[in-house]
């Protein structure tokens, strides 16, 4: 099993950038992909982007352009860089991982994930 824990959230001004981190532990070598999701108040959770063990990244349409997913394999850490933050980016951001055989766009499907973090809050003020 894999455990993940997010960090790096906080309160920022619109237009600023922010990088979230997700540290993985446990059986990380069995991970097929790690993904970022977010959930805004009163809305359903939505996928942002994912990275496979090969290093290939996949992004949801809403995340293309301002969001970048990367990883540091030596540190077992996943990152989400968000540029030009907007008030509508205010949400709880979740990291997830899966040890199920998953690739490509399926790394953006919640039901393929079997490990979730507690989330980190990002609040963007105008």
């Amino acid at each position: 099993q894999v455990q993940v824990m997010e960090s790096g959230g906080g309160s920022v001004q619109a237009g600023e950038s922010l990088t979230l981190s997700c540290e993985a532990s446990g059986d990380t070598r069995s991970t097929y992909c790690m993904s970022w999701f977010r959930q805004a108040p009163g809305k359903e959770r939505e996928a942002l982007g994912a990275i496979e063990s090969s290093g290939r990244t996949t992004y949801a349409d809403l995340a293309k352009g301002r969001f970048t997913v990367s990883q540091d394999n030596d540190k077992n850490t996943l990152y989400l860089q968000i540029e030009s933050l907007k008030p509508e980016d205010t949400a709880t951001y979740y990291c997830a991982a899966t040890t199920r055989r998953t690739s490509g766009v399926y790394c953006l499907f919640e039901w393929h994930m079997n490990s979730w973090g507690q989330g980190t809050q990002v609040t963007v003020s105008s």
Side-chain angles (χ1 to χ4, degrees), residues 56-119:
R56 182 173 73 166
T57 54
T58 302
Y59 293 94
D61 287 344
L62 72 92
K64 292 178 181 177
R66 295 191 299 118
F67 294 77
T68 303
V69 177
S70 62
Q71 66 182 3
D72 183 331
N73 290 324
D74 291 338
K75 296 181 179 179
N76 288 326
T77 301
L78 177 74
Y79 301 100
L80 177 68
Q81 182 178 358
I82 314 171
E83 299 177 358
S84 302
L85 279 154
K86 305 175 181 180
E88 50 264 43
D89 292 321
T90 294
T92 301
Y93 286 72
Y94 296 92
C95 171
T98 186
T99 55
R100 299 172 178 146
R101 190 179 297 274
T102 307
S103 65
V105 67
Y106 295 100
C107 293
L108 301 179
F109 289 9
E110 288 189 42
W111 54 87
H112 281 259
M113 303 293 114
N114 55 14
S115 297
W116 290 85
Q118 293 299 308

Side-chain angles (χ1 to χ4, degrees), residues 1-22:
Q1 190 61 280
V2 177
Q3 295 79 44
V4 294
M5 183 172 66
E6 309 90 340
S7 63
S11 296
V12 297
Q13 295 290 319
E16 294 181 346
S17 298
L18 190 67
T19 299
L20 306 179
S21 301
C22 171

Side-chain angles (χ1 to χ4, degrees), residues 18-64:
L18 190 67
T19 299
L20 306 179
S21 301
C22 171
E23 185 174 353
S25 59
D27 191 14
T28 58
R29 291 177 298 178
S30 298
T31 300
Y32 281 86
C33 52
M34 293 184 67
S35 310
W36 285 102
F37 298 80
R38 73 180 182 185
Q39 186 168 21
K43 296 187 178 181
E44 294 186 354
R45 188 156 53 189
E46 55 188 2
L48 296 173
I51 190 165
E52 298 174 45
S53 56
S54 65
R56 182 173 73 166
T57 54
T58 302
Y59 293 94
D61 287 344
L62 72 92
K64 292 178 181 177

